Amino acid sequence: MNNSEGVAAEGGLHRVIGWPAAFWVAAGVPALVLFSIGGIAATVGTPSWTIWIISVFFGFIQAHTYAEIAGLFPSKSGGASVYGASAWVRYSKLIAPLSVWCNWLAWTPVLAIGAGLAAGYILTTFAAADLALLSWQITLLDLGFLKEGISLRINATFFFGVAILLVVFAIQHRGILSTARIQTIFGIAVIVPLLVVGIVPLLSGKVETDNLMPLVPIAFDDAGNVIDGIWDREGITLFLGGLFIAAWSTYAFETSICYTSEFRRPEHDTVRAILWSGLLCVVIFTLVPLAFQGYLGVEGILQPGIVDGTAVAGVMGEMVGGGPFVTKLMVVMLILATMLAIMTSMAGSSRTLYQGSVDGWLPKYLGRVNHHGAPTSAMWTDLGFNLILLMMSDYLFVLAVSNCCYLIFNFLNLNSGWIHRIDNAHVKRPWRCPTPLMAAGVFLSFVNMVLLGAGANVWGSGTLMSGIIAAALIIPVFAYRHYVTDKGKFPDRMLEDLGVSASDLSQRKAGYLPYLVLAAGVAVAAVSNYVFTL
């Protein structure tokens, strides 16, 4: 059986898809706009629509670096973090797994947040009259030490969310080809309504120019009334906080290169998957927030249910007109959109765990797959972890903490591009990123550190520290795998695509530059946190 028809490696993932399938698997990314569009709008105010446009163009520039490094590894899956870790491993055994870990911690909460959001749509739209169902709750644990008012609880949202996650798990269990076919159907059913939400209000005159201007941050007078803010330190901090949280959604189409070892022709499919996914996201993340902001205005975005997202689907249904039936139909389609995002996340994050295990970063059991080529041990781990997150009472805080990890991952991987060029210049690149775009990606890596330091605590005073602690959890996890399970040696498969042996890892052609970049990144984040902490 050849590579184009079968298995990438015995007991491994199956080479059965082309780039269009990866495009549709990643088609859940545009639906991530639903997760934080209300929170950003209510926090930043009128300029919120510009945040989405700026952020998605940041993500599109960064994607070019990821497309190049993905081409170096035709036999790996798991995404840019895995490909970037292979660059950093020469310089630090700890930094490399940090990249993989932070990418997983950034992606896996999509399962819980998406399931909770979809459950909220169902309850507020179809069970709004059942007050007992909506208000019922059992508090299990007070988490006020993380952020005031947060707890672990069980309520109707939790049970509906669990049901949604189990449906997605059953779909994913049959492997990437089956998943891609289902997501193609879901994707068409989801992208169409998102485009409708973005285009129809613009064409029908429901987008008011006055709701988009002036571009000043939101502020409140002593009586609590909304007034125009100014671009002082507080206003700039709110804007940076918006860019911080938007990155979690707008950069996320990089998940389309999680499937390199499942592509029939990785040298052909990889770059097409990420760039076409990126173009789709540019369109959606530009049109939908513009229409949303232009329809609601500042007063509208402060309505109950906008910040936590539960009322967003209903508002978007109203935006396209057509009465109660059309509104409910739009809500159903947006529920499918969140399910598509969940499927995208489970497919990508489970493969990050799988490849992290194969390469020696994460526990060995995560490298198991079923006869369909699905990484089921990683999927069960994803599911179990997210059942806990689903009990969280504040999903926006979960999103913010996970995004701290996501920006750390992006910083490391944008810099892995030039490290690979120095240390692995001999390796064939099916597609080479234009050097100016790679340089722009390096610049944006430091912009991301500014957003991390300045923007994280906009979403709660403990957000940045919680994110750092979450990232640091890789230390005991990696130490056990590497030094106890593997006796201090990496698996042979870790560097096989580069033609590099373990003994070659001592050759560091980039010298002190990676260490200098790490120090500079930490310094930029620390200074930004000091300057912009409110």
Side-chain angles (χ1 to χ4, degrees):
M1 183 177 291
N2 61 43
N3 273 349
S4 66
E5 297 174 347
V7 182
E10 186 176 352
L13 305 179
H14 295 189
R15 288 199 184 277
V16 290
I17 62 171
W19 73 263
F23 170 88
W24 287 113
V25 173
V29 171
L32 297 180
V33 70
L34 302 172
F35 289 38
S36 55
I37 188 171
I40 291 176
T43 300
V44 181
T46 308
S48 64
W49 62 276
T50 66
I51 283 173
W52 290 98
I53 296 172
I54 293 169
S55 188
V56 75
F57 275 98
F58 282 179
F60 191 69
I61 291 171
Q62 294 170 177
H64 290 76
T65 296
Y66 297 156
E68 176 175 315
I69 64 174
L72 300 174
F73 299 96
S75 298
K76 288 189 189 297
S77 281
S81 63
V82 171
Y83 317 138
S86 299
W88 283 102
V89 68
R90 295 176 186 266
Y91 301 91
S92 172
K93 283 187 176 182
L94 185 58
I95 296 300
L98 177 66
S99 171
V100 177
W101 179 256
C102 282
N103 192 24
W104 176 69
L105 281 179
W107 259 108
T108 190
V110 175
L111 275 67
I113 299 170
L117 196 60
Y121 290 168
I122 293 169
L123 290 169
T124 55
T125 304
F126 301 104
D130 193 340
L131 297 180
L133 180 63
L134 294 176
S135 61
W136 174 82
Q137 178 173 299
I138 298 175
T139 300
L140 303 178
L141 182 65
D142 183 5
L143 299 177
F145 63 92
L146 293 176
K147 181 185 177 184
E148 185 178 353
I150 293 184
S151 63
L152 285 181
R153 84 288 187 259
I154 292 178
N155 57 8
T157 297
F158 173 79
F159 287 109
F160 275 89
V162 169
I164 291 168
L165 288 180
L166 290 176
V167 169
V168 172
F169 185 92
I171 294 171
Q172 297 271 323
H173 193 268
R174 295 184 59 81
I176 189 64
L177 184 59
S178 175
T179 298
R181 288 169 176 165
I182 293 173
Q183 291 214 188
T184 300
I185 299 170
F186 268 48
I188 294 170
V190 166
I191 291 172
V192 170
L194 286 175
L195 287 173
V196 168
V197 166
I199 294 173
V200 169
L202 290 169
L203 297 179
S204 61
K206 292 185 177 181
V207 174
E208 299 289 341
T209 305
D210 290 345
N211 290 337
L212 303 174
M213 297 291 176
L215 292 178
V216 293
I218 196 170
F220 302 89
D221 61 20
D222 293 338
N225 299 313
V226 177
I227 59 174
D228 288 342
I230 58 175
W231 289 110
D232 56 4
R233 185 170 68 96
E234 181 176 352
I236 295 171
T237 301
L238 291 177
F239 192 81
L240 294 175
L243 282 173
F244 166 83
I245 211 74
W248 187 79
S249 303
T250 57
Y251 297 0
F253 62 89
E254 46 84 15
T255 189
S256 58
I257 56 172
C258 277
Y259 316 100
T260 310
S261 70
E262 294 166 278
F263 285 144
R264 297 189 191 94
R265 296 186 296 161
E267 72 287 348
H268 172 272
D269 295 325
T270 301
V271 65
R272 288 165 176 79
I274 191 170
L275 294 185
W276 279 108
S277 296
L279 288 172
L280 172 65
C281 287
V282 167
V283 173
I284 298 295
F285 286 118
T286 297
L287 291 177
V288 173
L290 180 66
F292 184 79
Q293 174 73 31
Y295 177 78
L296 278 181
V298 175
E299 296 291 342
I301 62 180
L302 297 177
Q303 297 176 44
I306 297 298
V307 176
D308 64 16
T310 55
V312 168
V315 170
M316 288 186 172
E318 295 171 6
M319 288 166 61
V320 302
F325 174 76
V326 173
T327 296
K328 288 191 175 183
L329 180 62
M330 286 296 298
V331 170
V332 169
M333 298 180 84
L334 291 173
I335 290 170
L336 292 178
T338 61
M339 290 189 66
L340 185 66
I342 295 168
M343 288 193 286
T344 295
S345 176
M346 183 175 285
S349 62
S350 62
R351 280 157 179 79
T352 299
L353 290 180
Y354 164 81
Q355 194 67 52
S357 172
V358 170
D359 287 349
W361 312 121
L362 301 176
K364 205 165 187 175
Y365 83 94
L366 294 169
R368 300 171 189 156
V369 300
N370 67 8
H371 65 281
H372 295 295
T376 45
S377 292
M379 288 164 57
W380 279 114
T381 301
D382 259 346
L383 182 63
F385 180 66
N386 277 277
L387 290 180
I388 298 173
L389 294 183
L390 191 57
M391 291 188 281
M392 293 283 285
S393 60
D394 187 342
Y395 295 136
L396 197 55
F397 178 74
V398 173
L399 190 159
V401 171
S402 76
N403 194 51
C404 291
C405 297
Y406 195 45
L407 292 186
I408 293 171
F409 144 72
N410 275 282
F411 175 80
L412 294 174
N413 280 269
L414 288 169
N415 284 287
S416 74
W418 62 264
I419 296 175
H420 270 305
R421 283 198 179 182
I422 295 173
D423 282 328
N424 301 301
H426 63 287
V427 181
K428 179 183 177 182
R429 285 158 170 77
W431 185 82
R432 189 177 182 88
C433 174
T435 299
L437 280 176
M438 183 169 284
V442 173
F443 171 76
L444 288 177
S445 75
F446 287 95
V447 172
N448 287 329
M449 288 297 97
V450 172
L451 301 182
L452 177 65
N457 285 345
V458 168
W459 306 95
S461 59
T463 302
L464 180 58
M465 184 53 64
S466 297
I468 292 172
I469 292 172
L473 293 176
I474 186 56
I475 297 174
V477 173
F478 171 68
Y480 185 84
R481 170 64 196 268
H482 188 64
Y483 294 105
V484 177
T485 304
D486 293 342
K487 312 303 180 185
K489 296 181 179 179
F490 287 109
D492 293 336
R493 290 180 60 183
M494 194 261 286
L495 294 172
E496 65 180 357
D497 284 318
L498 299 177
V500 175
S501 65
S503 61
D504 295 327
L505 292 179
S506 60
Q507 299 176 14
R508 301 181 178 118
K509 297 178 184 177
Y512 64 87
L513 287 178
Y515 303 109
L516 182 62
V517 164
L518 286 174
V522 172
V524 167
V527 170
S528 299
N529 180 254
Y530 176 78
V531 171
F532 291 102
T533 297
L534 298 177

